[in-house]
Structure formats: structure tokens, C-alpha cells
Amino acid sequence: MNTLADSTLDVPARIAKEIQFLVNRGTLSPGVHLGQAELAERFSTSRVPVREALKLLATTGIVTHDPKRGFFVSPLSSAEARQLYRLRHLLEVELLQTVEWPDGTWLDTMRAKVDELEQLVKTDPQLWLIRQREFHLEIFRLSPHDLIRREVVRLWALTDRYRSLLMSATSSPKPTGFDGHEERQLIEALAAHDRETLISLYHNERSAVEALLLGVLAERGL
């Protein structure tokens, strides 16, 4: 298995990326024990790089380490979700407040990306997820605040598990349904240099997703 192989990463980092991918997809469920021997066999390696990978993931919060019992996929909780999404909201709004207005070429490219998203949501939901994330990252790249953007990307990795849970609880890859309307509105707000509308659109979309997620967690007693 080598779904996310990256030759620029060392072995523990590559294994950590693979495990995170499995956690985010729900293949490794919250609370499941991460046996080092089993993972070493899965990734055709020894237990040493697997342990190093698990230590890396423990620093992010995706994996929990109990010195006596071993490593486990961290549980999901409403309390954690609220804090993570609050942090995301604060930082992502800061990026939107500092975006520099794009030129016509950038806008045309992004409009084409929305066209692609509209097709992928019907034919390839997994690729849609990747492209939809890239779409929002391109908007955040308009801000000169690189450090804040890197922190946002880190928080995305921590909320991917919750996003996966929300997707599995709905019939659509996007909980609110995807028709490209909101994404097109974001692009047109950028084209109009309308920062107030840009932030309002973002806030409304994120609030709707967060409310749905917290509802799913509450139904599961989390």
C-alpha cells in the first residue's frame, strides 16, 4: 500500500501521512488501537519507523498515546470540534480580510475550477474533495500572510476527521449540497472587490457546515 507516497519525505513521515489518510477516510475509526506490528506489515516495513510515525501523529492530536496501552486513533468530540472550527474561523477570516484583489486571468481560472467541481461532484466525489480544498486554498493564497495560511492548513488536517464523519452521515459529498452557487459568489465578490460580501458568504457557509456537524456529533452522543 502506498496511496500517498512522497519521495521527498522520510519513511516515518510517509507512514504518518498514510495513517492520517486512513483516519480521515474513516478506514481507521476513532478509538481504534493502532498496533505497531500490524501497521508494519501493512506498510511492509519494520516497527521502528511505524513507531516514529505514530509519535509524529500524536503531536498533532490525530493519535493518542497511552504509555501502558499503546497508540489509538483519537476520539471525536463536540468540544474539540467547536474549538477547532472556532480557530479556523478566526484565522480564515483574517486571511480573507487581507486578500489582495486578483486579476482577470486568476478570476477566469477560478471560474473554470468551479465548472470542474460541478462535474466532479457527480462523477468522482473523492477527487471533488481534493479540488474543493485546493479551490479555497487558492483564495487564501491571495493573502500575504503565509504563516497564518500554513496554520489554517494544519487545522484543516485536524478537522478532516470531522468532515469525513459528516460526509458519511449524509447522502452528498458536501453536507449542504453542491451546485457551485456559493463558490461562484465568492469569485464574484473578489471580482467586485467586495470584502464585506466575501466574508459574509464565507461565514454563512462555514456556520451551516459546523451546525450540521455538531448535530451529527450530538446524535452520536459525542
Side-chain angles (χ1 to χ4, degrees):
M1 178 177 179
N2 200 23
T3 57
L4 295 176
D6 185 340
S7 60
T8 65
L9 301 176
D10 60 25
V11 174
R14 289 202 303 272
I15 294 173
K17 195 172 183 180
E18 293 276 7
I19 294 172
Q20 183 174 337
F21 176 73
L22 294 171
V23 170
N24 291 341
R25 287 191 62 183
T27 304
L28 295 174
S29 303
V32 80
H33 179 253
L34 298 170
Q36 295 176 49
E38 293 84 354
L39 289 172
E41 182 177 356
R42 176 190 285 267
F43 298 121
S44 301
T45 187
S46 68
R47 295 177 61 173
V48 174
V50 167
R51 182 171 180 80
E52 292 305 310
L54 292 172
K55 287 180 178 178
L56 286 172
L57 291 171
T59 65
T60 69
I62 294 171
V63 165
T64 301
H65 182 218
D66 183 322
K68 295 183 179 180
R69 300 170 59 228
F71 294 90
F72 298 82
V73 177
S74 295
L76 301 176
S77 75
S78 296
E80 181 185 62
R82 284 192 176 92
Q83 293 176 70
L84 287 173
Y85 277 89
R86 178 59 177 161
L87 286 170
R88 277 188 53 179
H89 179 81
L90 292 171
L91 295 181
E92 290 174 13
V93 166
E94 178 63 26
L95 291 176
L96 294 177
Q97 288 175 336
T98 58
V99 296
E100 297 173 352
W101 304 121
D103 59 23
T105 299
W106 186 95
L107 292 167
D108 289 342
T109 298
M110 293 297 281
R111 290 180 181 117
K113 288 181 181 295
V114 177
D115 292 339
E116 180 190 22
L117 287 170
E118 289 176 341
Q119 296 303 313
L120 287 175
V121 76
K122 303 170 186 175
T123 60
D124 192 338
Q126 289 301 319
L127 183 56
W128 176 86
L129 286 171
I130 296 170
R131 294 287 186 264
Q132 200 256 2
R133 175 64 54 81
E134 292 171 352
F135 173 88
H136 286 282
L137 185 57
E138 284 301 315
I139 293 177
F140 292 147
R141 284 194 176 116
L142 294 172
S143 168
H145 292 174
D146 295 344
L147 181 60
I148 294 177
R149 185 171 61 251
R150 287 197 296 270
E151 182 63 16
V152 165
V153 172
R154 187 186 74 83
L155 290 170
W156 280 354
L158 294 177
T159 54
D160 276 344
R161 296 190 304 140
Y162 290 95
R163 190 183 191 192
S164 176
L165 172 67
L166 189 53
M167 287 167 52
S168 68
T170 64
S171 59
S172 168
K174 185 176 181 181
T176 54
F178 177 82
D179 57 12
H181 183 62
E182 292 169 341
E183 279 69 14
R184 290 193 189 281
Q185 286 185 311
L186 289 172
I187 297 305
E188 297 315 313
L190 287 163
H193 299 186
D194 187 345
R195 200 176 302 276
E196 182 179 351
T197 297
L198 179 69
I199 293 172
S200 177
L201 288 167
Y202 162 81
H203 173 76
N204 291 340
E205 182 179 0
R206 289 296 182 271
S207 296
V209 171
E210 184 177 353
L212 284 170
L213 170 62
L214 292 174
V216 170
L217 289 169
E219 288 175 1
R220 301 190 180 196
L222 299 173

